[in-house]
Amino acid sequence: MKTELTINGEHHTLDADVRTSLLDALRHHLHLTGTKKGCDHGQCGACTILVNGRRINSCLTLACMHDGDAITTIEGIGAPDALTILQDAFVAHDGFQCGYCTPGQICSATAMLEEVKAGWPSHVSADLMAKPKLTVEEVSERMSGNLCRCAAYPNIVDAILSADEAAS
Ligand code: FES
Ligand code: FES
């Protein structure tokens, strides 16, 4: 089935079996291998990408459901010689070891910081009406869908907090 996608600002026509996940479409059909496959069933967050600005697990959705959607993958966030504030903070705070989870962490945190800016509360926000303030507890909860087998969690949280501070 033909599916029209805009990925990192470029138009792509995907011709794939209707059972193809968006993750497999990105990696195997479009050769965008920055998005990682960890568990392939929604448990680890390694495959996190942005669809129309919202973070999702690309292993849990079919590519053919995204006709006309705008997708951002890690290849569309920053560049090796022009890192985003968040990517810089991951480097400065040692927010990775093997790096396998990192593309998903960066995509997820990029969208999460926008969610906070938009005032979305989390499960641990004490006041659902107040403007959320990022704390270690808030970042841990909001990033709980992204696992890191190397357990770089303290540094990931530090990186996100520092990027949030640098951007505000
Ligand atoms: Fe999608 Fe693990 S590969 S959540
Ligand atoms: Fe190795 Fe997170 S840095 S899995």
Side-chain angles (χ1 to χ4, degrees):
M1 177 178 168
K2 287 215 160 92
T3 307
E4 307 295 331
L5 301 166
T6 301
I7 305 175
N8 304 327
E10 276 180 29
H11 180 256
H12 294 264
T13 302
L14 174 75
D15 195 0
D17 187 288
V18 288
R19 296 165 295 182
T20 308
S21 72
L22 185 52
L23 173 60
D24 285 344
L26 290 169
R27 288 182 57 83
H28 302 303
H29 294 258
L30 302 168
H31 309 296
L32 290 164
T33 54
T35 306
K36 301 299 184 232
K37 181 184 282 194
C39 64
D40 208 20
H41 60 276
Q43 301 288 302
C44 73
C47 65
T48 307
I49 59 166
L50 311 187
V51 174
N52 301 326
R54 294 265 184 101
R55 51 181 170 161
I56 67 162
N57 290 338
S58 58
C59 68
L60 287 186
T61 188
L62 298 173
C64 64
M65 294 163 63
H66 294 282
D67 193 46
D69 280 350
I71 290 168
T72 304
T73 66
I74 191 64
E75 289 89 347
I77 298 179
D81 54 353
L83 299 181
T84 64
I85 291 174
L86 181 65
Q87 288 168 328
D88 258 335
F90 264 68
V91 174
H93 289 268
D94 236 355
F96 46 85
Q97 290 181 36
C98 76
Y100 197 81
C101 72
T102 311
Q105 302 278 3
I106 296 282
C107 285
S108 190
T110 298
M112 185 273 278
L113 291 171
E114 291 303 314
E115 292 162 14
V116 171
K117 240 193 256 169
W120 294 13
S122 82
H123 186 62
V124 297
S125 302
D127 182 347
L128 300 185
M129 303 309 286
K131 188 172 160 28
K133 185 170 164 22
L134 273 191
T135 59
V136 169
E137 198 190 11
E138 279 279 357
V139 173
S140 302
E141 165 61 22
R142 290 171 188 267
M143 293 296 293
S144 59
N146 289 83
L147 304 185
C148 175
R149 290 296 296 272
C150 302
Y153 297 115
N155 297 5
I156 292 170
V157 171
D158 283 352
I160 294 171
L161 286 171
S162 115
D164 181 54
E165 203 178 302
S168 55

